[in-house]
Structures are given as C-alpha cells and as structure tokens.
Amino acid sequence: MNAFLCAVISCWALTSTAFAFSPTIIARTWTKAASKVSLSMKEENNDDLSSFSLDRRQMLGQTLSASVALGGMSFLPMQAIAEGGGIGTNPEHPIVVIGAGGKCGKLCTEILNAKGLYTKGVTRSGRETLDSPSKFVSYGPGDVTSYDSIKAAVQGASGVIFAASASGKKKGGEPKQVDYVGVYNTAKACLECSVPKLVVISAGTVTRPDSAGFKATNFFVKYVYGDKIMDYKIAGEEAMRELYAASSDKSLGYAVVRPGGLSDGPPKGSAELNLSQGDVLSSEISRTDVAEVTVAALLKGAATDFTTFELNQNEGLNKAQGNLPDLPSELIHTGTSSYGGLLDGLFTDQEMQSKYPSIVNSFKGAGIEPIGNLA
C-alpha cells in the first residue's frame, strides 16, 4: 500500500502542470499514473501504513498545489494583555501553539521564539520540539480530542495557534476527531478560559467541494489519515464560528488562515504573497510564509478578529475552479513590505456574508455529524 500511495501521489505532484484545464493532458497523466501504480503493487502488497513517509500537511500541500495548477491560572485580565500589545510578553501567559510537533506548528514556535515572545509548545506527549532549549519556550501535553486536556493546555494563554491536523488512527486521530471535534474543543476552551485570540490554520478550497483541490485532497488523504478531511476542516471552522457568535464576550476573537498547497521550499516573503478573501484563489505556499502570516495574524490583535482569509504565493495563482467569480480588488492584498501589512483592511466573516453573498459559499461539509453527538 505504501508504494501504491507513493506512486499515485508522485505522479500527481510531478505532473501538476497537466491540470491546466486540458482534458487530453489529464487523461495522459492518469494513464502514466495507472501504469506506475500497477508496477508498485507488484513490488509491494504491504497494507501497513505506519511507515508511510509523507506527513499529513505535506500530502495536503502536494494534492492542493497539483490540482490548483489546474499552565496555571492567573487572574491578570486577558483583555488587558491583548489591548496592551502584551501577547506573549509574560511567561505566566504564553502563546500556546497546538500541534507544535508538526511542520507549521514548529515553524510558528520558532518564529515566536525569535521574536522573544513566551511560547508553550503543545503536543499530545508534551515533548520538546525545537532543536535547542530556549528560555522563551516551554512545553506541555494537550490532546485536542479531549476537552478537559486541551482546556488545561490553553488555560492562562495570551493567545493560541491551532496548527494541528489529522494524523491517523494509529497516532492522534482522524479528521473527524482532530479537524472537526479538535477545533471545536479548542475554541470552546479558549472562550471558557478567556483567551483573547485563537488563530486556526485550515486549508484553502474548503468551501469549494467541486474544485479539483478539494476532491484530490479528500481522495489521497483518506488512505492514510482518514476520510473527508476537507469536509471536516470546514465543519470545524463553522463549529468554531458558532461558538464565538454565541459568546457574550466579543473581546475574544478568532482568525482562520487557509493556505494553498503547502511546500517545504524557501519563503517567498510578503511582497510575493497573495492574501485574499472569498476562497476563490489558490496556488502553492511555503510553510514558512504560512507560519509568518499566522503569527502576524495573532499579534495583529483586534484588526484580524473574526476574519477568514486565503494565503498563496503569486506565482502559479489561479482560481480554484474556472467558474468562480472575479474578486474585487479590495479582497486581494499583495506586494506589501511586511507580513503584517498583508492583513490590513480585512473584512470580517459577517461583513463578507453581507457585502459579497455571491462570492462566499455556504458549504459546511457533506455528511457531517452534529457536533453535539461527538464532543
């Protein structure tokens, strides 16, 4: 099975340019893929996926980019910390990075450490994730599939970054448990503990189920990490939004970062990135750029509260599917001198729904169980 998946994904990624709206090239590409799969199945019939080498976000990134080418409680008020620009400046109120053992989570931790901001990296085991110790970084356990566990992990935080994602049954859970229930549990815990800001790393095209990116990601990821990851990602976003909408404390906010196809390549820098709203545009994006913008969205404070945006590089940028509307210029941010500059002038989710109902898609996932039956 390992060789089967590697063969299919390799063919998909290596022939990404074939998906530039050409049915002939698409057919030719999949003929080659089928041949390679047949060979790989002859070489290996092992169904054990435990040694499969692609991490979840690498798989997510490869499929998206290919298709697009077509602590202890303290009583210091959390609101005062946020408004005073003191997020991460007090070791008793660190920024909590959930999923610090993953690639994006580790990069977020490194960036916060480089800024001299107190950070707690949270993984299921509580293990250290940076290559060397730092006085600014501590570690703790936290399981997003357990409300009590994640509540204990975020208690006292001055900000939270959710960088976790499904890792399969043998590890931390499938998409339903992590990307859906896990986001809900984390949002609920942040509200209960009065954490000023939660930033969630989701995925581009999650509201476009007819797009090649959505379909391809669901198809490939299900073999290793579980079924319907894109459906559960948008369901997790919506469950979080409903919690914040129902909260009486409007000083507590969230932001959702939806990156395109993730790569391990060098960062492009803010000037070469495209930040948009409406889930229309997509391309590839370096994990480092994603982490930089995620951190900037957290530190930006109220300016990014209740916002959702897509993040891609300008190179290779296309519509997620050809029949989507053109975006007005005020929904596109690019060519800035800083990552924070990309975040200026964002519309809130409510504003997007009101002003651009023809752009925003109301898709919330197919076949999703009510969160009350799971959490």
Side-chain angles (χ1 to χ4, degrees):
M1 181 65 78
N2 293 4
F4 167 79
L5 288 172
C6 286
V8 174
I9 293 171
S10 175
C11 284
W12 182 281
L14 289 174
T15 57
S16 61
T17 55
F19 294 86
F21 314 109
S22 171
T24 301
I25 298 179
I26 290 173
R28 189 181 304 140
T29 298
W30 280 103
T31 300
K32 293 180 181 179
S35 175
K36 194 167 185 178
V37 167
S38 176
L39 177 60
S40 71
M41 291 184 71
K42 291 178 182 179
E43 294 173 344
E44 181 177 0
N45 288 314
N46 181 11
D47 287 330
D48 180 11
L49 297 178
S50 61
S51 63
F52 191 66
S53 61
L54 283 178
D55 70 79
R56 60 189 179 277
R57 290 194 182 276
Q58 184 177 0
M59 180 180 294
L60 186 72
Q62 285 186 354
T63 55
L64 275 172
S65 60
S67 56
V68 164
L70 209 142
M73 183 99 177
S74 170
F75 295 97
L76 183 63
M78 291 294 103
Q79 183 177 357
I81 291 176
E83 291 178 350
I87 296 177
T89 59
N90 186 332
E92 294 184 6
H93 302 287
I95 296 166
V96 171
V97 179
I98 298 171
K103 290 186 177 180
C104 282
K106 183 179 179 181
L107 286 165
C108 287
T109 305
E110 291 174 343
I111 292 166
L112 291 166
N113 177 50
K115 292 179 179 293
L117 297 175
Y118 290 99
T119 305
K120 182 169 76 170
V122 171
T123 62
R124 289 182 299 275
S125 65
R127 65 183 177 89
E128 296 184 3
T129 61
L130 297 189
D131 297 331
S132 58
S134 168
K135 70 176 183 178
F136 295 110
V137 181
S138 60
Y139 301 94
D143 181 355
V144 298
T145 67
S146 166
Y147 174 71
D148 290 338
S149 173
I150 207 62
K151 180 181 177 182
V154 305
Q155 200 168 54
S158 56
V160 171
I161 291 173
F162 186 99
S165 191
S167 54
K169 288 182 179 179
K170 295 183 179 181
K171 293 184 179 180
E174 294 188 321
K176 178 167 63 177
Q177 286 76 40
V178 179
D179 297 276
Y180 182 27
V181 178
V183 171
Y184 173 85
N185 283 340
T186 302
K188 183 179 177 182
C190 286
L191 288 168
E192 180 70 21
C193 297
S194 297
V195 177
K197 186 66 160 284
L198 167 63
V199 180
V200 174
I201 301 177
S202 183
T205 74
V206 287
T207 70
R208 305 297 179 181
D210 294 329
S211 70
F214 186 104
K215 292 177 180 179
T217 303
N218 268 357
F219 177 80
F220 288 118
V221 172
K222 70 178 180 180
Y223 288 105
V224 180
Y225 301 118
D227 202 16
K228 300 196 301 185
I229 190 169
M230 296 293 273
D231 294 271
Y232 284 120
K233 280 186 178 293
I234 185 58
E237 286 187 23
E238 288 301 312
M240 176 201 67
R241 290 189 184 97
E242 290 176 5
L243 282 173
Y244 277 87
S247 174
S248 60
D249 190 348
K250 300 307 178 183
S251 69
L252 309 178
Y254 68 81
V256 179
V257 184
R258 293 174 174 169
L262 294 165
S263 79
D264 291 322
K268 294 289 186 179
S270 62
E272 299 300 322
L273 299 186
N274 182 289
L275 188 151
S276 62
Q277 294 185 276
D279 205 16
V280 170
L281 302 176
S282 194
S283 66
E284 197 172 77
I285 183 75
S286 163
R287 285 182 172 87
T288 302
D289 283 324
V290 174
E292 290 279 9
V293 173
T294 299
V295 168
L298 177 67
L299 300 181
K300 196 85 169 177
T304 57
D305 279 355
F306 313 112
T307 64
T308 300
F309 55 87
E310 292 73 54
L311 184 65
N312 302 281
Q313 65 185 31
N314 284 319
E315 183 181 354
L317 191 69
N318 281 304
K319 290 182 180 179
Q321 59 190 70
N323 61 347
L324 295 178
D326 293 334
L327 287 179
S329 59
E330 66 180 351
L331 296 183
I332 300 174
H333 306 248
T334 189
T336 63
S337 60
S338 68
Y339 289 104
L342 289 166
L343 301 162
D344 291 335
L346 293 178
F347 288 87
T348 67
D349 290 340
Q350 186 174 1
E351 290 170 340
M352 286 292 296
Q353 290 279 359
S354 176
K355 189 171 184 178
Y356 295 108
S358 63
I359 294 177
V360 176
N361 193 8
S362 60
F363 179 75
K364 298 180 180 180
I368 301 298
E369 305 90 325
I371 193 66
N373 296 347
L374 301 172

